[in-house]
């Protein structure tokens, strides 16, 4: 049963990273910074949102600094760089996990090829549901997505080309870092930032899907643990770059405040059915 505990531990590590802000919130509350009853979850969400989340109107917010946004990506990427040392404990841990996977898991699960895109698709799809709206309009989300994924692609492919790490299954030399995990965490972080004011569970679901993608990459013997951790860091970093570049694109293209409109109209006849969409920038 040892290998099951190992994979559960990996999942919990990534889960704790995704909840780092919530843990900090609880610490401050217990220290006397907040005066909200834990039983009143609605009031607690509002209080934590005002205290920790980015606010356009200003006010106290310990995560407003640029450095705080890059803390977790920096830790993940540093972890991967340290693992490049063949004599490091992290490297030995990688090899141990790889041996456990090779011994106990015989059949790959290819769901990670599709799961990596789920957070990004959700970031678009949720906006079509009643009473749920993203922070940015369709145009700005597209600009953020394009910038973020272009950054992900450039970083991942550049590092793969330079490192030439052999995969655990011995097929190919592009193991480091994990592109699937980077793609998944890019989408998950965008999903979180777009809908965090609607419900924290939306972001949690995105991070869970991204974490599952990374775990499947390990169990499918396509990547080492440090490949996945580094990929997660690159994904988070790329999403932050996408949002940082959004005002630049607005200025460069002369984009004003959001006046866009979208119309979706179904069409049907005796021989065909379809749907049409018009978006006015």
């Amino acid at each position: 049963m040892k290998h099951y505990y190992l994979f559960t531990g990996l999942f919990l590590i990534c889960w704790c990273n995704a909840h780092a802000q919530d843990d900090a919130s609880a610490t401050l509350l217990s220290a006397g910074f907040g005066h909200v009853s834990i039983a009143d979850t609605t009031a607690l969400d509002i209080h934590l949102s005002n205290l920790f989340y980015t606010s356009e109107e200003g006010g106290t917010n310990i995560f407003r600094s640029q450095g705080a946004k890059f803390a977790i990506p920096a830790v993940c990427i540093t972890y991967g760089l340290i693992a490049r040392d063949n004599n490091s404990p992290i490297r030995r841990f990688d090899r141990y996990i790889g041996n456990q996977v090779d011994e106990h898991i015989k059949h790959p699960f290819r769901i990670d090829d599709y799961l990596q895109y789920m957070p990004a698709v959700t970031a678009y799809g949720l906006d079509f549901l009643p009473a749920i709206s993203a922070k940015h309009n369709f145009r700005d989300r597209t600009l953020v997505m394009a910038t973020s994924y272009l950054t992900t692609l450039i970083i991942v492919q550049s590092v793969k080309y330079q490192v030439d790490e052999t995969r655990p299954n011995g097929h190919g030399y592009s193991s480091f870092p994990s592109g699937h995990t980077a793609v998944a965490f890019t989408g998950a972080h965008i999903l979180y930032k777009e809908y965090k004011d609607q419900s924290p569970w939306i972001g949690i679901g995105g991070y869970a899907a991204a974490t599952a993608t990374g775990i499947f990459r390990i169990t499918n013997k396509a990547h080492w643990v440090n490949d996945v951790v580094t990929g997660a860091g690159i994904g988070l970093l790329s999403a932050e770059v996408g949002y940082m570049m959004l005002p630049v694109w607005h200025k460069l293209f002369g984009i004003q405040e959001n006046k866009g409109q979208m119309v979706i109209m179904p069409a049907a006849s005796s021989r065909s059915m379809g749907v049409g969409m018009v978006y006015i920038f």
Side-chain angles (χ1 to χ4, degrees):
M1 297 297 291
K2 186 185 297 184
H3 59 287
Y4 292 112
Y5 297 140
L6 288 171
F7 291 125
T8 302
L10 289 174
F11 182 87
L12 290 176
I13 289 171
C14 297
W15 184 272
C16 289
N17 284 341
H19 290 75
Q21 294 182 358
D22 291 337
D23 292 341
S25 303
T27 301
L28 286 179
L29 285 171
S30 64
F33 285 87
H35 304 283
V36 181
S37 172
I38 297 299
D40 188 352
T41 56
T42 302
L44 180 61
D45 285 343
I46 295 174
H47 179 79
L48 296 181
S49 178
N50 291 336
L51 182 60
F52 291 98
Y53 294 153
T54 302
S55 172
E56 300 294 338
E57 292 78 15
T60 302
N61 190 316
I62 65 174
F63 289 108
R64 288 180 64 84
S65 66
Q66 292 296 325
K69 297 179 181 180
F70 299 106
I72 293 178
V75 170
C76 293
I77 294 173
T78 301
Y79 179 99
L81 294 176
I82 294 175
R84 304 309 309 150
D85 181 3
N86 286 325
N87 296 320
S88 69
I90 294 177
R91 191 70 160 184
R92 293 195 294 271
F93 175 73
D94 269 12
R95 296 297 185 252
Y96 174 75
I97 294 295
N99 291 335
Q100 292 297 309
V101 169
D102 191 55
E103 180 179 353
H104 298 288
I105 299 179
K106 304 303 181 183
H107 303 288
F109 299 92
R110 296 304 181 190
I111 189 175
D112 49 316
D113 290 336
Y114 310 99
L115 191 61
Q116 61 176 322
Y117 301 114
M118 191 185 80
V121 172
T122 306
Y124 278 114
L126 281 179
D127 207 35
F128 292 100
L129 298 178
I132 298 181
S133 59
K135 182 177 181 180
H136 295 91
N137 59 41
F138 182 86
R139 176 202 63 211
D140 286 353
R141 266 177 292 160
T142 301
L143 288 173
V144 169
M145 285 276 191
T147 305
S148 300
Y149 279 114
L150 180 61
T151 304
T152 300
L153 177 65
I154 292 173
I155 295 176
V156 168
Q157 294 304 320
S158 298
V159 176
K160 281 180 180 290
Y161 178 78
Q162 293 293 328
V163 174
D164 283 339
E165 173 73 18
T166 306
R167 294 182 183 273
N169 57 18
H171 299 158
Y173 297 89
S174 56
S175 185
F176 182 84
S178 169
H180 282 65
T181 310
V183 167
F185 271 91
T186 300
H189 203 45
I190 292 173
L191 180 65
Y192 159 74
K193 293 176 78 71
E194 288 297 323
Y195 295 98
K196 63 184 180 181
D197 295 329
Q198 300 290 316
S199 171
W201 293 105
I202 297 176
I204 290 172
Y207 289 129
T211 301
T213 300
I215 292 175
F216 279 123
R217 296 306 287 166
I218 296 171
T219 59
N220 289 341
K221 307 175 187 177
H223 287 287
W224 307 100
V225 174
N226 82 90
D227 301 337
V228 168
V229 174
T230 305
I234 292 173
L236 297 172
L237 173 65
S238 299
E240 290 292 348
V241 170
Y243 281 99
M244 290 177 62
M245 289 297 296
L246 185 58
V248 176
W249 301 136
H250 280 185
K251 185 175 181 180
L252 183 63
F253 298 130
I255 298 175
Q256 303 299 320
E257 290 297 320
N258 177 33
K259 297 181 180 179
Q261 295 181 339
M262 179 182 291
V263 176
I264 299 178
M265 182 178 298
S269 67
S270 59
R271 296 185 177 181
S272 63
M273 296 181 65
V275 62
M277 182 180 74
V278 177
Y279 185 82
I280 304 174
F281 288 87

